[in-house]
Amino acid sequence: MPRTLLERSDAVRALAGVFRRRGFESSSLSVIQQEAGIGRGSLYHFFPDGKTDMARAVLDQVSDWFEDAVFAPLRSATDAAEAVSAMTRAVADYFVSRENVCLFAAMTLGEEKETFAGEVKAYFVDWVDALAALLQRGGLTPGDAHENALDAVAMIQGGLIITRAYGDESTFLGVMERVERRLLAQLC
Amino acid sequence: MPRTLLERSDAVRALAGVFRRRGFESSSLSVIQQEAGIGRGSLYHFFPDGKTDMARAVLDQVSDWFEDAVFAPLRSATDAAEAVSAMTRAVADYFVSRENVCLFAAMTLGEEKETFAGEVKAYFVDWVDALAALLQRGGLTPGDAHENALDAVAMIQGGLIITRAYGDESTFLGVMERVERRLLAQLC
DNA sequence: TACAGCTTGTACCGAATGGTACAACTGCAT
DNA sequence: ATGCAGTTGTACCATTCGGTACAAGCTGTA
């Protein structure tokens, strides 16, 4: 008894939740249809190439969100300090409400890492470069700007790992606060 | 035509390589016997409880290495600056020769995360606490020491992720240099 | 040489995997 | 009401999964 009710983007959102909770490899088709509440027929209707297609769609959606909510504001900002604060706020909210999991980081491990190597690299490069450019506009040398941007993104990603290990959300918020403070300190 | 040649610790080393290269979930028994060069009989002889047992053995070996080469030196050091340098050197060498993968970090995601949650948490707690105690002996307040230790470990872990994404080993070495520099700067 | 106890390759098991096929149902326009 | 394109559940496929059983081989001791 099929029902019509699904937008593709809703499906992608549900898939993202499953992948975050269980990881890509251990989300079997049966698990996905059960946890996402989407039948196998719909899944292969929306994602004809199967699991890989689902992962690509999820990654694309995450990428779009970061482009709109993080990278673009970073690129177009005039007030560097304000932009740094806005970034840390947006990123902290995002990951806290997403189980402290970055799906791009998760894709640097496991079976599919080569499949998505390009997208994953682009995500991190975009982030680091957008932040570095902002820091440079804020007065840092190109070298210092790039190093500080890379370190900030690394600290965020590492913060997610340790937070999951500790099982304590406040750890991540603490890390994010100090990322912000360190970046602001660079802007003298 | 069975041969006798294997020490359990050799098997563990080979398994660690496979898990690092492919991740835990996508290392199937067939892949493991092929890439590690260990037959299924031997695998279940050494690790009666199967894959979970193999993962536990690998994690234990990594944990032992860090205890001996990183945590204990940190705890017993008298010269804080020298100990910081020794730690960053040891850790950099370790991960560079291990495909830039931390198996404990990998275990914060995927199917088995609950199974090993205790071991994973202990690994990070031991590391952060040993480093924090050293920094405190170096003159930092307990709060500052703990924050700086946590941030250092986070930056290392995040550095591994970005390095894998970039596919460029020198990125990790740069991060390690700056972790060292930042810690040394705290020791006035 | 013969024995005993570890190792080890191979064949096999039931269950689950990712993927396909397709019929049945839906909503919408006419 | 009817037709149709877009959805969806279900049954099914070959393959692979993790795990077991066990006979055959090895090594050290005597």
Side-chain angles (χ1 to χ4, degrees):
Chain A
M1 39 306 249
R3 282 166 252 149
T4 301
L5 43 81
L6 215 57
E7 294 270 344
R8 198 187 124 108
S9 66
D10 294 331
V12 174
R13 219 183 320 279
L15 288 174
V18 178
F19 288 155
R20 260 186 278 264
R21 232 169 299 125
R22 328 188 46 126
F24 179 70
E25 342 252 9
S26 43
S27 298
S28 69
L29 270 293
S30 329
V31 160
I32 291 172
Q33 46 178 330
Q34 189 170 339
E35 278 189 38
I38 307 174
R40 196 162 288 211
S42 317
L43 247 16
Y44 277 86
H45 175 70
F46 286 124
F47 312 99
D49 290 341
K51 266 187 87 174
T52 305
D53 224 359
M54 299 176 206
R56 170 155 286 123
V58 168
L59 252 25
D60 281 351
Q61 191 194 248
V62 175
S63 175
D64 286 350
W65 186 91
F66 269 83
E67 178 59 35
D68 293 347
V70 180
F71 307 159
L74 239 26
R75 288 194 206 100
S76 63
T78 51
D79 181 338
E82 174 52 40
V84 162
S85 295
M87 178 193 87
T88 53
R89 219 177 308 126
V91 169
D93 287 351
Y94 179 87
F95 284 119
V96 163
S97 66
R98 301 295 195 298
E99 338 229 353
N100 303 306
V101 172
C102 174
L103 287 170
F104 279 98
M107 286 297 175
T108 64
L109 256 12
E111 196 171 28
E112 307 281 304
K113 67 179 147 187
E114 280 94 8
T115 313
F116 297 114
E119 286 89 331
V120 170
K121 182 170 181 175
Y123 169 83
F124 284 108
V125 166
D126 285 353
W127 193 350
V128 170
D129 287 358
L131 181 54
L134 179 89
L135 294 177
Q136 207 175 324
R137 268 177 282 137
L140 277 72
T141 67
D144 282 351
H146 189 265
E147 284 185 0
N148 276 282
L150 191 80
D151 293 353
V153 175
M155 218 168 110
I156 292 170
Q157 291 292 334
L160 291 169
I161 290 176
I162 299 188
T163 299
R164 293 197 300 269
Y166 278 29
D168 169 22
E169 198 126 281
S170 66
T171 303
F172 180 62
L173 295 175
V175 168
M176 288 306 297
E177 259 176 45
R178 297 195 293 282
V179 167
E180 178 184 10
R181 193 197 309 152
R182 287 182 191 215
L183 288 173
L184 292 177
Q186 295 290 322
L187 296 168
C188 81
Chain B
M1 41 306 252
R3 283 167 251 149
T4 303
L5 45 80
L6 216 57
E7 293 270 344
R8 198 188 124 108
S9 66
D10 294 330
V12 174
R13 220 183 320 278
L15 288 174
V18 178
F19 289 155
R20 262 187 277 263
R21 233 167 298 125
R22 328 188 45 126
F24 179 71
E25 342 251 10
S26 42
S27 298
S28 69
L29 271 291
S30 327
V31 159
I32 291 173
Q33 45 177 332
Q34 190 170 339
E35 277 189 39
I38 307 173
R40 196 164 287 213
S42 317
L43 247 15
Y44 276 87
H45 175 68
F46 286 124
F47 312 100
D49 291 340
K51 264 186 89 174
T52 305
D53 223 359
M54 300 175 206
R56 170 155 286 121
V58 167
L59 253 25
D60 281 350
Q61 190 193 249
V62 174
S63 175
D64 286 350
W65 187 91
F66 269 84
E67 178 59 35
D68 292 348
V70 180
F71 306 160
L74 240 27
R75 287 193 207 99
S76 64
T78 50
D79 181 338
E82 174 53 40
V84 162
S85 295
M87 178 192 88
T88 53
R89 220 177 307 128
V91 169
D93 287 351
Y94 180 86
F95 284 119
V96 163
S97 66
R98 302 295 197 297
E99 339 229 354
N100 304 306
V101 172
C102 174
L103 286 169
F104 279 99
M107 286 297 174
T108 63
L109 257 10
E111 195 172 30
E112 306 281 303
K113 69 180 147 188
E114 280 94 7
T115 313
F116 297 114
E119 286 89 331
V120 171
K121 180 169 182 178
Y123 169 83
F124 285 108
V125 166
D126 285 352
W127 193 350
V128 170
D129 287 358
L131 180 55
L134 179 90
L135 295 176
Q136 207 175 324
R137 270 177 282 136
L140 277 72
T141 67
D144 283 351
H146 189 267
E147 283 184 1
N148 277 281
L150 191 81
D151 293 353
V153 175
M155 219 169 109
I156 292 170
Q157 292 292 334
L160 291 170
I161 290 176
I162 299 189
T163 299
R164 293 198 300 269
Y166 277 29
D168 169 23
E169 199 126 280
S170 65
T171 303
F172 181 61
L173 296 175
V175 168
M176 289 306 298
E177 258 177 46
R178 297 194 294 282
V179 167
E180 178 184 8
R181 194 199 306 154
R182 287 182 190 212
L183 288 172
L184 291 177
Q186 294 292 320
L187 296 168
C188 83

